[in-house]
Amino acid sequence: MKKAANVKEKVKVKAKKEEGTVEKAKTRYSDEELEEFRQIILSKLEKAQNDLKLLTESYTTGNDHDTNDTSPTFKVLEEGYQVFSKEENSKFAARQSKFIKALENALIRIENKSYGICRVTGKLIPKDRLRIVPHATLSIEAKRNQATAPVQPPSQLAPNF
């Protein structure tokens, strides 16, 4: 019986030791990790700004001093395609601007030490996700819940008379 009591006592002591060594859940990324993410974001930001510059140049009319805008043309279909192409590039440029803004906001969150924290759950977003989508503000869990949430009908702005 003494042996059984000693074993139980040892188990209790071991359990108490293990409880004391349990690490707190991580609430934010370390400064070294934030620096790694900052470098990733800066490289993506530079590429995105270069892409935006190219897109913007492709849909804005430059001052080429050529005769494209003065000479008569009989290529209506080609002209229509050029307009369509400029419109598409304009849409891509707007999307790229939005991406750049999201990257800049991520840099601000790094400075505030709030980068990588899900804005819905408050948990840390996994590093692998942030390496791929460095401007992410939602964890996969929150993103999935957002996708499956029912769509609320828009509220009425003016009363019906």
Side-chain angles (χ1 to χ4, degrees):
M1 283 298 213
K2 247 184 179 182
K3 227 178 189 181
N6 283 341
V7 170
K8 284 183 183 179
E9 190 63 33
K10 286 180 182 178
V11 169
K12 285 181 184 177
V13 170
K14 188 175 181 181
K16 284 184 181 179
K17 283 183 183 177
E18 287 176 1
E19 285 176 17
T21 60
V22 173
E23 287 185 32
K24 290 182 183 178
K26 210 172 169 184
T27 57
R28 75 170 192 89
Y29 285 111
S30 70
D31 291 343
E32 293 81 23
E33 291 167 321
L34 290 175
E35 181 58 27
E36 174 192 347
F37 291 127
R38 191 173 77 76
Q39 293 303 320
I40 292 170
I41 291 169
L42 287 174
S43 69
K44 287 193 180 246
L45 185 59
E46 183 180 354
K47 183 183 180 324
Q49 288 170 334
N50 289 336
D51 290 348
L52 177 62
K53 183 179 176 189
L54 290 172
L55 284 168
T56 304
E57 287 173 358
S58 71
Y59 76 83
T60 56
T61 305
N63 191 6
D64 295 334
H65 301 294
D66 60 6
T67 58
N68 283 342
D69 59 346
T70 59
S71 65
T73 180
F74 300 102
K75 301 175 186 172
V76 176
L77 291 176
E78 285 182 22
E79 201 170 277
Y81 175 75
Q82 288 174 345
V83 170
F84 175 75
S85 180
K86 285 182 179 184
E87 288 175 1
E88 288 297 308
N89 284 339
S90 174
K91 289 178 186 176
F92 287 138
R95 188 173 183 186
Q96 194 70 3
S97 293
K98 186 177 175 184
F99 177 61
I100 289 170
K101 185 68 177 164
L103 290 173
E104 290 170 344
N105 288 340
L107 287 173
I108 292 169
R109 289 193 305 277
I110 286 175
E111 293 301 316
N112 295 340
K113 310 244 190 252
S114 63
Y115 179 79
I117 300 170
C118 176
R119 61 186 163 95
V120 174
T121 64
K123 298 176 184 174
L124 282 182
I125 300 170
K127 285 184 187 180
D128 291 338
R129 174 165 170 71
L130 291 173
R131 286 185 183 115
I132 296 168
V133 186
H135 58 286
T137 59
L138 295 174
S139 63
I140 296 292
E141 174 189 350
K143 192 75 171 170
R144 284 186 183 140
N145 289 342
Q146 185 183 44
T148 59
V151 177
Q152 297 290 330
S155 62
Q156 294 180 347
L157 298 176
N160 293 333
F161 293 105

